[in-house]
Amino acid sequence: MNDPFKALAHPIRRGIVERLAEGPATVGEATAGFGVSKPAISKHLKVLEETGVVTRVVEGRTHRLSLEPEVLSVAADWMDQQRALWERFFDVVDEYLSEKEST
Amino acid sequence: MNDPFKALAHPIRRGIVERLAEGPATVGEATAGFGVSKPAISKHLKVLEETGVVTRVVEGRTHRLSLEPEVLSVAADWMDQQRALWERFFDVVDEYLSEKEST
DNA sequence: CGGATCGTTCACTATCTGGTTAACCGTAGC
DNA sequence: GCTACGGTTAACCAGATAGTGAACGATCCG
């Protein structure tokens, strides 16, 4: 699975991303207070890792997580592109209408 | 349900958004060629409508779909914000390191 | 060594998701 | 009026997802 949208579709995973956006953190730090068991956290992290949104480096018995912002860029760019196309469509319509009106 | 990320988590729904980005279309036009039955399409449209990504106006027996780009903006802005925070974090680290080095 | 800590894997369950077919509703057109 | 068309609703099914508790692995520390 390599779909950043799917990875960000769960609020807990977006919460983890939000915390990592402020700097790298261990699993415990990045996931405290979500009110969910440790295995659940572990699975969410796996999803984020598999899509490349988050990377992990093992330091002794703790794991340090980092955000990988390029993947977010890909998704954000897709959205911006759809919006841009949509706005271009309206430009074309306006142009057509004003041409029609002037004849 | 009001989660744009969840709405965009499925490739067929993103495909629909891509087509609507080029201008409004009927259900049949916007969803042709996805290789899936009509009820499946209907459900995907319902999700997109419920999150506000797409709006619908009934015209006789056809339904005309339009993209609602503001909702995409919200999601794109979230991603950009995470990225910006992350970059700011590195700026702070760099600053700290260069100060440390200069003492 | 022995206990505590950080985090994972295993086995299992309940719910959600995405798909199907069949039937239906409203409109368009002969 | 009747049939064709665009699209939805209903009922159902298989697989994915999100959660749990229990056990484990590895590291740190007394």
Side-chain angles (χ1 to χ4, degrees), chain A:
Chain A
M1 198 242 288
N2 213 19
D3 187 338
F5 289 98
K6 215 167 173 182
L8 296 173
H10 195 288
I12 288 187
R13 292 198 289 266
R14 286 202 296 279
I16 294 172
V17 168
E18 283 174 356
R19 296 196 183 171
L20 291 179
E22 294 169 0
T26 66
V27 172
E29 291 162 359
T31 67
F34 285 123
V36 83
S37 67
K38 289 195 288 182
I41 290 293
S42 231
K43 288 184 195 176
H44 285 307
L45 288 176
K46 195 178 176 191
V47 172
L48 288 170
E49 257 191 299
E50 282 174 349
T51 69
V53 178
V54 161
T55 54
R56 171 199 316 243
V57 56
V58 178
E59 296 178 345
R61 66 179 164 178
T62 72
H63 299 194
R64 183 147 304 262
L65 306 171
S66 295
L67 198 61
E68 218 59 46
E70 304 80 38
V71 180
L72 297 182
S73 300
V74 170
D77 287 351
W78 180 88
M79 293 191 195
D80 284 335
Q81 192 193 342
Q82 307 315 312
R83 224 182 354 156
L85 278 170
W86 180 256
E87 278 154 14
R88 195 173 76 85
F89 166 78
F90 276 119
D91 289 348
V92 171
V93 169
D94 287 348
E95 198 175 322
Y96 169 75
L97 288 180
S98 58
E99 266 181 35
K100 195 176 179 184
E101 196 171 335
S102 68
T103 58

Side-chain angles (χ1 to χ4, degrees), chain B residues 16-103:
Chain B
I16 294 171
V17 168
E18 283 173 358
R19 296 195 182 171
L20 291 178
E22 295 168 1
T26 67
V27 172
E29 292 162 358
T31 67
F34 284 124
V36 84
S37 67
K38 289 194 290 183
I41 290 293
S42 229
K43 287 184 194 175
H44 285 308
L45 287 176
K46 194 178 176 192
V47 173
L48 288 170
E49 256 191 298
E50 281 175 349
T51 68
V53 179
V54 161
T55 54
R56 169 197 318 242
V57 55
V58 179
E59 296 178 346
R61 65 180 165 180
T62 73
H63 299 194
R64 183 147 304 265
L65 307 172
S66 296
L67 199 60
E68 219 58 46
E70 305 80 39
V71 180
L72 297 182
S73 300
V74 169
D77 287 351
W78 181 87
M79 292 191 193
D80 284 336
Q81 192 192 344
Q82 308 314 312
R83 221 177 2 151
L85 279 169
W86 181 255
E87 277 154 15
R88 197 173 74 86
F89 167 78
F90 275 120
D91 289 349
V92 171
V93 168
D94 286 350
E95 198 176 321
Y96 169 76
L97 289 178
S98 59
E99 265 181 34
K100 196 177 179 184
E101 198 171 333
S102 67
T103 56

